[in-house]
Amino acid sequence: MSKNFASHFRLFVALIALGLLVVGSGYIIWSQRPIMKIANDTSGATASSEIAPLTSAVSYSMDDIAIHNTKDNCWSSVNGEVYDLTSFVYRHPGGAASIIKICGMDGSDLFSRQHGKSRKASAALILLKIGELKS
Amino acid sequence: MKNSSLPCIILRFTMVLLFAWFAVQQLMDPSAWVGYLPEWTGYLPIPGEMLIMLNGWTELVLAAMMVVGCFTRWISIVLGLHLIGIAWTAGGAVGVRDAALALCMFALASGPADDWSLDGYVERNQK
């Protein structure tokens, strides 16, 4: 067996793996593309109006939200929209405590006080939207 | 098989099992792993589940390359640095464990290519 063959075969295997990595990662990103589009939208339309068609049929009352009041099952409403913050509790850059504080409650005041109109904070929040707050 | 190859083979397959198991778990239930993401990822405009799935898929592909022993040294260094990052972020007992696993990866990277690996096959043919 020539040394070139062995070396080329190893390179071939590495290229196959690289291809799998790219295709697999592409699939993962593609499969969640609608969410990415909303998060990265920089057009005039607000993120909430973009996501509305996906969740417009789902609305929750404050009673529904109140049930989800623990760090392992954390819903909150912010400015008329309902979010499932469970997966975000320990990812919140400001610490878990300020998220746990609003589990099962309306977090509009706290969010506005802390983040104002921060685009970063809104982009992070919009990924977690599950519906609208019943008026 | 030379006896000197045995430690490297055992270490390589052990680390493959470790990464493959964690990768499959992350791909099967990404939401269960989101809590382990560092806080700064909260500001990325990417869902936590997607980050976990991308991480899991990368680990799985690199573990597959390690199974066949393809560029084992480079992959061991990459995965070792990845583990150092996790250890640094996690801290505590988990951090100590992951730092020790990272050192195992660096040990694998610094060792010779074993007889059962593609790297070993290439090296033997180059002599």
Side-chain angles (χ1 to χ4, degrees), chain A residues 19-88:
Chain A
L20 281 172
L21 189 62
V22 171
V23 170
S25 300
Y27 174 74
I28 290 167
I29 292 167
W30 177 81
S31 65
Q32 301 198 29
R33 191 169 60 96
I35 299 171
M36 291 292 291
K37 183 175 176 292
I38 292 156
N40 293 324
D41 178 36
T42 52
S43 68
T46 63
S48 23
S49 67
E50 285 285 317
I51 202 168
L54 297 174
T55 54
S56 57
V58 187
S59 57
Y60 300 98
S61 67
M62 279 313 295
D63 289 340
D64 296 326
I65 295 168
I67 302 166
H68 307 272
N69 60 357
T70 66
K71 63 182 182 349
D72 299 318
N73 185 5
C74 177
W75 288 16
S76 184
S77 61
V78 175
N79 300 327
E81 289 166 350
V82 181
Y83 301 92
D84 181 354
L85 302 175
T86 312
S87 68
F88 192 68

Side-chain angles (χ1 to χ4, degrees), chain B residues 87-106:
Chain B
W88 183 266
T89 307
V94 174
V96 171
R97 183 199 62 191
D98 284 351
L101 289 170
L103 289 176
C104 290
M105 293 306 288
F106 294 141

